[in-house]
Amino acid sequence: MYKLQLTPGLMSLSTLRRVAQEPVQLSLVDWAEDAVTASVDTVNKVIEQGRTLYGVNTGFGLLANTRIDQHQLKQLQRSIVLSHAAGTGNLMSPASVRLMMTLKVNSLARGFSGVRLQVIESIMRLLNTEVYPCVPEKGSVGASGDLAPLAHMSTVLLGEGEVIYKGERLSGLQGLKIAGLAPLELAPKEGLALLNGTQASTALALQGLFAMEDLFAVAVVCGSLSVEAALGSRKPFDAKIHQARGHQSQIDVAGAYRRLLDHSEIEDSHRNCEAVQDPYSLRCQPQVMGACLSQIRNAAQTLAVEANAVSDNPLVFSEDQDIINGGNFHAEPVAMAADNLALAIAEMGALSERRTALLIDSNLSNLPAFLVENGGLNSGFMMAQVTAASLASENKSLAHPACVDSLPTSANQEDHVSMATFAARRLRDMNDNTAGILAIELLAACQGIDFRSPLKSSAALEKARGLLRNRVSFYSKDRYFAPDIEVAKGLVQSGAYNNFVETTLLPSFGL
C-alpha cells in the first residue's frame, strides 16, 4: 500500500500515477488544518451576519434566488447530496474512485471550500480502509462540476448509497462501520462543496493519460522493431532533420528511435541497398509520434494543474473574510485536454496499423506474404491485420471532440457545459483499442525479425523482442491466433516497455 502524506495543492503526476495503480494510505501535512478551519470560520461568520450566500442559505441552480431558513440549512446540504446522486450505467472502477477521492481531499484541504476537517478526514478514512463508494460512470456533463459522480461518492458519508469493499457490494452504512465512521450531518456549504468540482472527469482523464503514456513507449518500440523487420532506413531519424524543423517533441522522439535502433546486424546487411525512401509509416514516425507527444505533454500540464485546483463554488477567501461566486467547476480545460489526447491515441493506433499492413505485404517488406511460410495453406497474419484495421477505424469515431457538444441543463441556468466526463471516460476504450493494435504490430514485427535470422537487431530491440518471445512462440504455421493477441496485449498494457524510453520523455514517468 502506498503511504502518502499529502501537501494540498502540490500533487505531482508521478504521485497521481501511484494512487491510480495501488491502494493508498493518505494523511495530511499538519499545517493544512489551519487553512481548513479558517475557511469554516469565515462561512459561519457570514451566516451570522445574515448575508445571502449561494448554496449556503439559498437553493441551487435556477433556484438560487430562493432563500432557505436558518433551521433548514443542514437539511439543505443533505438534500442536495441525495437528490444529485442520479447517475446511471456501470460503476467507476475502484482505481478511478480512489483517484477521484484523493483529488477531492486535495482540493478541499486547500482551505477555500468551507468544509470541516472532519469531513475531509472521513473521506480519507474510507480511502485508507479501501472502502470505495459505488459511483455510476454516466450522468455528468462536466458543469457545475461532476455533480452526479461526486454526489454518489458523498452519499456514503451520510450512511446512504453503496460501497465496494474487497470486491463485495455493501450498503453505505455498512461501509462506514468497516471504516470506523458514523454518518455525518453536513454543515452549511459542505454538501455543495463536496458535489461541485471536476474530480471525476479529472481522475478519468488522468487514467487515460497514464495508459496512453505506457502505450506511447510501446509504440516507439514497435515502430523501431518494424523498421528492422522491413529493412527500413535509419536516415529519417537523423538529428539534423528534426533540429531543422524545431519541434521539441519531434526532436525528443527521434532521439528515442535512434537509441533503440543503434546498432544492429540487420542494419549492416542493407546499408548499401538501392532503396530511396520508405513509406511514411516508417519514415515519418518522429513527425507523427512527436505531434502525439506534444498533445500528451500539453494535456499533462493541464491535468496536473486541475488535479491541484480548487474547483467548487462559491470559494471562501478567509484572509479577506469574503465568499465569491464563480465558475471554476466548469471542466472545459479537462474536456479539451481529453479531446486532444483522443486525437493522439487515434493517430498512434492508425500509424501502427499501417506498419502492420506494410509488414504483411511481401511487395513492401520483402518478407513472406502475411508473415508465414507456405502461404496459401497458411493465412498467417491476414486476419490479425483486419482486426487492427477495425480497431483503428473505431478509434476514429471515438476521437470526435466531446467538448463541442454542449447541451444546456438546469432550465438553461447551466447553458454551456463541457462534457468532460465523457471526453475523459472514452479514453479508456480508445486506449484499449490501441493496445490491441500495438499488440498485433508487436507480434508482426517480431515475426518479421525472426525471418531475418541469423541476423540480430540492436541489443535494446533484441531485449524487447525477448519479452514477447518468452510468452508467444514463432508463428510457424496457422494456429488459434486470438490467445497470442491477448498475451501480447497484456504485455503491451503492463508497462513492461516503459524503461525502453528515457524517463524524461513522458510527463508522469520521472517527476
Side-chain angles (χ1 to χ4, degrees), residues 335-406:
M336 286 191 173
D339 282 344
N340 287 328
L341 286 176
L343 295 175
I345 294 168
E347 283 297 88
M348 279 169 46
L351 194 66
S352 173
E353 183 277 327
R354 286 293 82 202
R355 291 192 297 265
T356 297
L358 182 155
L359 292 174
I360 67 171
D361 187 339
S362 59
N363 294 316
L364 292 174
S365 66
N366 291 313
L367 292 165
F370 301 107
L371 298 174
V372 70
E373 295 172 334
N374 201 8
L377 176 63
N378 294 311
S379 296
F381 280 67
M382 180 187 296
M383 192 51 57
Q385 186 269 326
V386 172
T387 298
S390 73
L391 296 173
S393 180
E394 184 174 312
N395 271 354
K396 292 177 184 179
S397 296
L398 289 170
H400 179 81
C403 70
V404 300
D405 191 23
S406 175

Side-chain angles (χ1 to χ4, degrees), residues 25-45:
Q25 279 282 337
L26 195 62
S27 62
L28 287 176
V29 293
D30 293 337
W31 56 261
E33 182 176 354
D34 294 339
V36 169
T37 302
S39 71
V40 174
D41 290 343
T42 300
V43 171
N44 291 334
K45 288 177 183 177

Side-chain angles (χ1 to χ4, degrees), residues 43 60 82 114 116 141 148 152 166 218 248 296 307 334 347 350 355 434 464-465 467 472 474-475 479-480 485:
V43 171
F60 306 101
L82 297 179
R116 291 168 296 160
V141 296
H152 281 278
K166 294 185 176 179
V218 177
Q248 189 59 50
I296 291 174
V334 179
E347 283 297 88
R355 291 192 297 265
T434 296
R465 186 164 66 102
L467 288 176
V472 180
F474 176 75
Y475 197 89
R479 62 176 184 247
Y480 186 23
I485 296 174

Side-chain angles (χ1 to χ4, degrees), residues 51 53 189 312-317 320 322-327:
R51 290 166 54 184
L53 294 175
K189 195 183 180 304
D312 59 283
N313 181 64
L315 297 185
V316 181
F317 298 93
D320 303 321
D322 202 5
I323 299 178
I324 306 176
N325 282 295

Side-chain angles (χ1 to χ4, degrees), residues 195-251:
L195 270 57
N196 263 176
T198 64
Q199 287 79 32
S201 54
T202 303
L204 294 170
L206 284 168
Q207 287 183 298
L209 169 69
F210 300 148
M212 185 182 176
E213 287 180 314
D214 294 344
L215 295 182
F216 187 92
V218 177
V220 172
V221 171
C222 285
S224 299
L225 289 167
S226 290
V227 168
E228 287 284 72
L231 304 182
S233 173
R234 302 304 202 272
K235 291 180 180 179
F237 306 98
D238 191 300
K240 294 190 293 292
I241 295 174
H242 309 289
Q243 290 287 349
R245 194 175 199 184
H247 291 295
Q248 189 59 50
S249 292
Q250 178 179 323
I251 292 167

Side-chain angles (χ1 to χ4, degrees), residues 60-77:
F60 306 101
L62 195 65
L63 303 176
N65 294 322
T66 303
R67 182 70 181 256
I68 308 300
D69 291 339
Q70 183 85 11
H71 71 280
Q72 295 178 311
L73 296 187
K74 291 182 178 179
Q75 179 60 40
L76 175 68
Q77 300 305 312

